[in-house]
Amino acid sequence: MKVEPIINAKFNRFRDQFDLKKTPDGIAFERFVNYSILSVHQPDAFNGDSELFDIINVGGNNDMGIDGIAIKVNGILVRNIDEVKDLVERFKRTTIEFIFLQSKYKTNFDKGEYNNFLDGVREFLAENQKQPKNQAIDYLLEIKDYLLSENVIFTWEDNPTVRIYYVVMGKWMNDSNLSALANQFQEDVDRIGTYKKPKIHFIDTEHFKEILDSNENNFSTIINSIDTMPLTSVRNVENSCVILCYASELQKLLKTSDGLIRKSLFNDNVRDFQGNNTVNDEIRNTVELEPEKFALLNNGITIVCEEYLPSNRQVNLKNPQIVNGCQTCHVLYYSAEKSEDLSKVPVIVKVIATKSNEITNQIVRGTNRQNIVYDEAFETTKKFHKELEEFINALSNEYEKFYYERRSKQYQNNPTIKQYQKLNLRIIVQSFVAMFFNEPHVAFRHELKLLEKFPNSLFQDHQSKLPYFTAAYAFFSLEKLFRNNLFEKRNLYSYRAHVLMAFRELVAGKNIDINNEKMIDEHCQILLKVLKNDTECKKFFSKAIEIFENCKNIWIKKKRRSIYGIKDIKEFTELLLLEIRKITNMKTDSIKTGNFTYQGEVIKILRDRYGKYCGFIKRNPQNIFFHSKSIKGLNVNNLLGKQVTYKVTTNPKNNSLVATDIELINNILNI
């Protein structure tokens, strides 16, 4: 089918980035639409890994006529019930939105297809479902049922919103038959009594192009000002000014054509909307009770754009980004949604036209430091992360190419970089905590929660960057095995953190102090050698999964514990470590003591200048020295070619690594 050229070009780029070249056109287009429309709701939703993307794409057998389903809680597209619990706890009040998508890779809006789509949505929203449904829909129904349970319902800010998208690559002509079906659907949902009146969107070619442009922040808008004052000249700043305008004018900037808040405006902001808190309540009260004082009581907003063109009392902004004032903008947007008159609310807007990323970063940090913003929000602006970005992007050339996407949508305009090659802060933090702290039971938490939990352990200036690269590469390698269908996602994907920890333990042994640069780098080199070899990598991940599944059976059948008490329970992690160390011949007390035990072959025996025996054990990247005083009850001459376990210590004279506590072993890990 011939598709509008711009849409077609972006569709082909999407297929290339998501490795969908061999996927049939219709299925690939469904995923393109789902990705594009849901990115309007949350621009960074699909950054880094494919878990959420897989969850929302429900099309296939027994899909109830629905291509995509997403559930949004407090502005976040959620993956599981654990995320819902975190969001409810964080915000105290809960807003819920159910989003349903159907798209057709053709030019006509079809009444029969649309009716089937609405029937499926009715069924999903109902208390009980009678239609056949696939596992993807079942999974989302569990989240829906939890959100509608007594545990959450008392926190509702309002009844959940229902939003319907029907996308066709033709022209919408206000078809009366489809409009009638939409009206009937709204009445049916209203009768359920649980949801607000559904918002229905018929998306045609032109509308879809607008959505794609909005996602790329490729748009312009004109704001009518009360007054404008230019600011002083600054190097690398093309132009800058302060605008006084009414908040009603800002709605042109803040709202998409579908009436959503334009989330892509806040990509460079240090934090998302914080919901109902004291500060935001005060902003809302000023809008409602004393609108004329707003400019006096509020710091206003700061916009960075590619350029702006002043003309009389109008300012034309090209590709703007709001870098400060996210809370103010959201409160104004939601006030307008509640029919507050914003034409009497004056707002101060600082506008800066620059193409310099460094200037933008300085503005972000400088403007937000005047307010209460936790340091975690600035995490990726720190020097460590800038250096880590360069380190990962350079070192990955020696392995498989991937990138640390330090800033949201940083590589969006580079068509050669595939989506799965972009790893963000969340992925690196979660993988690192799972692998090097042996805490997969907390690793699934939000990255800011993890930064709060480990404030003096993560991203410290004195630390080596190699373990962070190794954690990222291990995640990337495991994702590739899932992507190539070598492991089944359905029962394993939620437990990737446990698999990553098990993989590291099997390959390199007990975790060690990440602040000892020399030892941790050696530890990582062992892991990297395996990760670089596809056969060995798959072999060790397979063994990690086998042990995980065995532990799951022990947990359920022998310990009679719930399968749902695995992901976030420390006791299960301890069971997993215990089973791994039985197999790798590590003493079980090492789990408590933290002493790291290695395994290797004795490859050389010799005498020192005093006639005492010593030798070397094979080790990557450099063989390790041992002395006979480290061997208890063993004949040194019989050790050549034998497998031994050993621990590592540092020689205080020259700071070199030496083997100690050497023991002969007879049982070797067979993988």
Side-chain angles (χ1 to χ4, degrees):
M1 187 194 86
K2 186 177 180 181
V3 177
E4 197 279 334
I6 295 175
I7 292 176
N8 193 52
K10 293 180 179 182
F11 177 35
N12 287 331
R13 184 177 68 182
F14 170 84
R15 294 181 80 164
D16 185 52
Q17 289 182 331
F18 280 79
D19 206 19
L20 296 172
K21 286 289 189 182
K22 296 180 181 179
T23 304
D25 290 347
I27 296 173
F29 187 73
E30 288 174 8
R31 297 188 176 190
F32 176 50
V33 169
N34 293 347
Y35 173 87
S36 301
I37 289 179
L38 292 174
S39 292
V40 177
H41 289 260
Q42 188 184 335
D44 63 347
F46 304 109
N47 287 10
D49 70 72
S50 61
E51 183 178 16
L52 181 62
F53 191 56
D54 291 338
I55 289 170
I56 61 101
N57 289 303
V58 301
N61 293 330
N62 297 327
D63 60 14
M64 297 167 61
I66 305 170
D67 294 335
I69 302 174
I71 300 174
K72 195 162 70 169
V73 178
N74 291 335
I76 304 295
L77 297 171
V78 296
R79 304 159 185 253
N80 50 55
I81 291 173
D82 289 320
E83 282 192 345
V84 173
K85 291 177 180 177
D86 272 353
L87 289 166
V88 171
E89 178 186 348
R90 175 184 170 192
F91 285 94
K92 307 304 179 186
R93 303 298 295 169
T94 308
T95 61
I96 302 166
E97 188 166 348
F98 296 100
I99 303 167
F100 302 90
L101 306 105
Q102 175 67 276
S103 55
K104 296 299 175 184
Y105 193 57
K106 58 184 184 181
T107 58
N108 62 304
F109 288 81
D110 187 282
K111 177 183 175 183
E113 289 173 342
Y114 187 60
N115 193 40
N116 289 338
F117 172 42
L118 295 182
D119 278 345
V121 177
R122 276 191 197 90
E123 186 91 347
F124 186 95
L125 296 174
E127 187 173 348
N128 299 301
Q129 291 73 41
K130 298 177 182 178
Q131 287 187 32
K133 55 191 183 304
N134 58 37
Q135 288 182 334
I137 292 176
D138 266 332
Y139 180 82
L140 288 161
L141 279 168
E142 288 179 12
I143 300 176
K144 183 208 85 168
D145 291 342
Y146 179 77
L147 286 167
L148 270 58
S149 69
E150 291 183 2
N151 293 325
V152 181
I153 201 167
F154 72 91
T155 71
W156 285 6
E157 180 78 19
D158 202 346
N159 284 15
T161 298
V162 175
R163 197 177 291 271
I164 306 291
Y165 291 94
Y166 184 47
V167 183
V168 176
M169 291 297 92
K171 185 173 178 60
W172 173 243
M173 303 294 290
N174 294 311
D175 186 296
S176 58
N177 290 315
L178 272 71
S179 296
L181 289 174
N183 293 335
Q184 182 61 54
F185 172 79
Q186 288 175 322
E187 292 175 8
D188 293 344
V189 172
D190 190 51
R191 277 195 292 271
I192 297 174
T194 303
Y195 311 95
K196 291 194 287 189
K197 182 179 179 181
K199 298 180 180 181
I200 296 178
H201 308 281
F202 293 101
I203 310 294
D204 63 5
T205 301
E206 288 303 313
H207 195 166
F208 192 53
K209 278 173 62 180
E210 290 178 14
I211 288 170
L212 296 177
D213 285 342
S214 177
N215 284 338
E216 295 175 1
N217 217 45
N218 182 23
F219 73 99
S220 298
T221 191
I222 297 174
I223 292 177
N224 293 307
S225 66
I226 301 169
D227 205 354
T228 303
M229 182 185 75
L231 296 175
T232 54
S233 176
V234 177
R235 185 182 176 188
N236 291 329
V237 173
E238 283 74 30
N239 216 346
S240 59
C241 70
V242 175
I243 298 170
L244 181 65
C245 68
Y246 287 114
S248 54
E249 287 297 309
L250 283 180
Q251 296 303 298
K252 300 175 184 177
L253 179 67
L254 298 179
K255 289 177 68 171
T256 69
S257 56
D258 296 330
L260 294 169
I261 188 163
R262 199 186 299 272
K263 283 286 187 180
S264 61
L265 283 170
F266 307 100
N267 287 345
D268 289 335
N269 218 273
V270 296
R271 58 180 177 176
D272 200 355
F273 183 50
Q274 301 298 293
N276 293 331
N277 57 29
T278 303
V279 174
N280 289 339
D281 287 344
E282 287 179 3
I283 296 173
R284 188 176 295 107
N285 288 337
T286 302
V287 172
E288 295 175 1
L289 304 176
E290 299 179 292
E292 70 283 353
K293 292 184 180 179
F294 194 85
L296 300 177
L297 304 178
N298 186 273
N299 289 335
I301 69 174
T302 302
I303 296 175
V304 173
C305 59
E306 287 186 14
E307 66 176 353
Y308 72 82
L309 302 172
S311 176
N312 295 327
R313 291 188 179 274
Q314 291 185 330
V315 178
N316 188 340
L317 303 172
K318 181 180 179 182
N319 300 343
Q321 275 283 307
I322 295 173
V323 298
N324 179 249
C326 178
Q327 309 308 309
T328 296
C329 289
H330 277 77
V331 171
L332 291 172
Y333 167 81
Y334 288 119
S335 294
E337 290 292 285
K338 294 180 179 179
S339 301
E340 292 292 336
D341 183 6
L342 300 187
S343 65
K344 297 178 182 178
V345 181
V347 183
I348 297 170
V349 182
K350 187 189 299 180
V351 180
I352 300 150
T354 181
K355 295 181 175 66
S356 167
N357 287 332
E358 188 57 37
I359 291 287
T360 301
N361 286 339
Q362 288 178 356
I363 294 167
V364 169
R365 196 169 185 89
T367 55
N368 285 284
R369 274 300 183 196
Q370 297 165 19
N371 302 311
I372 300 173
V373 180
Y374 296 110
D375 283 340
E376 298 85 55
F378 292 108
E379 180 64 39
T380 58
T381 68
K382 294 178 180 177
K383 180 183 176 184
F384 187 96
H385 286 274
K386 293 177 182 179
E387 293 176 349
L388 181 61
E389 178 188 348
E390 294 174 2
F391 184 87
I392 288 176
N393 295 356
L395 188 57
S396 67
N397 286 319
E398 299 179 20
Y399 297 90
E400 287 186 77
K401 191 62 186 172
F402 58 92
Y403 301 81
Y404 177 16
E405 191 172 42
R406 185 169 60 85
R407 292 176 288 109
S408 179
K409 303 215 171 191
Q410 183 174 349
Y411 301 109
Q412 177 176 284
N413 296 321
N414 188 336
T416 65
I417 299 176
K418 310 228 182 254
Q419 190 70 14
Y420 60 78
Q421 291 177 291
K422 307 170 191 176
L423 308 186
N424 58 14
L425 175 67
R426 177 175 57 82
I427 285 169
I428 292 175
V429 171
Q430 291 178 342
S431 302
F432 188 89
V433 168
M435 288 185 69
F436 291 99
F437 292 168
N438 279 7
E439 297 207 38
H441 48 280
V442 301
F444 66 91
R445 302 291 297 273
H446 192 280
E447 59 269 28
L448 296 188
K449 289 278 188 182
L450 295 176
L451 289 167
E452 290 173 8
K453 182 174 175 62
F454 303 104
N456 301 311
S457 303
L458 288 167
F459 306 118
Q460 301 300 299
D461 288 339
H462 64 272
Q463 291 175 346
S464 167
K465 294 175 177 61
L466 193 60
Y468 294 96
F469 172 85
T470 305
Y473 186 28
F475 174 89
F476 180 84
S477 301
L478 181 57
E479 278 287 299
K480 184 173 73 170
L481 293 168
F482 279 120
R483 194 168 61 250
N484 293 335
N485 297 316
L486 296 175
F487 298 140
E488 187 181 5
K489 274 189 172 184
R490 187 178 65 187
N491 297 321
L492 282 170
Y493 207 64
S494 296
Y495 304 105
R496 287 170 296 171
H498 293 80
V499 174
L500 286 170
M501 181 194 75
F503 171 84
R504 188 200 52 70
E505 287 270 332
L506 286 171
V507 173
K510 179 74 173 65
N511 61 322
I512 56 177
D513 183 4
I514 61 167
N515 297 306
N516 187 322
E517 184 173 356
K518 189 169 184 177
M519 291 180 67
I520 195 67
D521 280 359
E522 277 208 6
H523 189 66
C524 290
Q525 290 291 353
I526 297 168
L527 292 162
L528 291 171
K529 184 177 180 180
V530 170
L531 289 166
K532 193 173 184 178
N533 184 311
D534 287 345
T535 302
E536 290 296 301
C537 179
K538 181 176 181 293
K539 192 183 293 184
F540 274 95
F541 270 123
S542 296
K543 190 67 179 179
I545 289 169
E546 178 188 321
I547 297 170
F548 171 80
E549 293 291 355
N550 181 51
C551 287
K552 194 164 68 171
N553 288 333
I554 294 172
W555 184 261
I556 296 167
K557 294 178 181 178
K558 291 186 179 180
K559 292 183 173 290
R560 299 189 179 279
R561 301 287 294 273
S562 169
I563 190 173
Y564 301 107
I566 289 177
K567 184 175 180 179
D568 58 352
I569 299 295
K570 184 179 181 180
E571 188 181 343
F572 182 81
T573 299
E574 292 171 347
L575 171 65
L576 183 55
L577 286 170
L578 188 66
E579 293 301 309
I580 292 168
R581 293 171 188 179
K582 283 180 183 177
I583 293 172
T584 57
N585 301 294
M586 287 196 183
K587 295 181 179 179
T588 55
D589 61 2
S590 68
I591 295 174
K592 297 178 181 178
T593 65
N595 293 326
F596 186 15
T597 305
Y598 292 98
Q599 177 180 309
E601 179 187 350
V602 178
I603 59 171
K604 192 171 185 178
I605 299 289
L606 46 92
R607 290 179 186 268
D608 66 12
R609 61 182 176 174
Y610 303 109
K612 300 291 185 180
Y613 281 107
C614 56
F616 288 89
I617 299 169
K618 188 176 182 180
R619 179 178 170 89
N620 247 334
Q622 185 176 358
N623 298 331
I624 190 165
F625 174 81
F626 69 88
H627 198 274
S628 57
K629 63 185 178 183
S630 300
I631 303 172
K632 299 177 181 178
L634 294 177
N635 186 333
V636 178
N637 285 324
N638 290 336
L639 287 181
L640 190 64
K642 300 292 177 63
Q643 292 283 335
V644 296
T645 61
Y646 62 95
K647 295 177 182 178
V648 175
T649 188
T650 304
N651 185 336
K653 294 181 180 179
N654 57 15
N655 205 34
S656 63
L657 298 180
V658 294
T660 186
D661 295 341
I662 297 169
E663 296 182 13
L664 183 67
I665 62 172
N666 299 313
N667 192 15
I668 302 171
L669 174 63
N670 182 26
I671 62 174

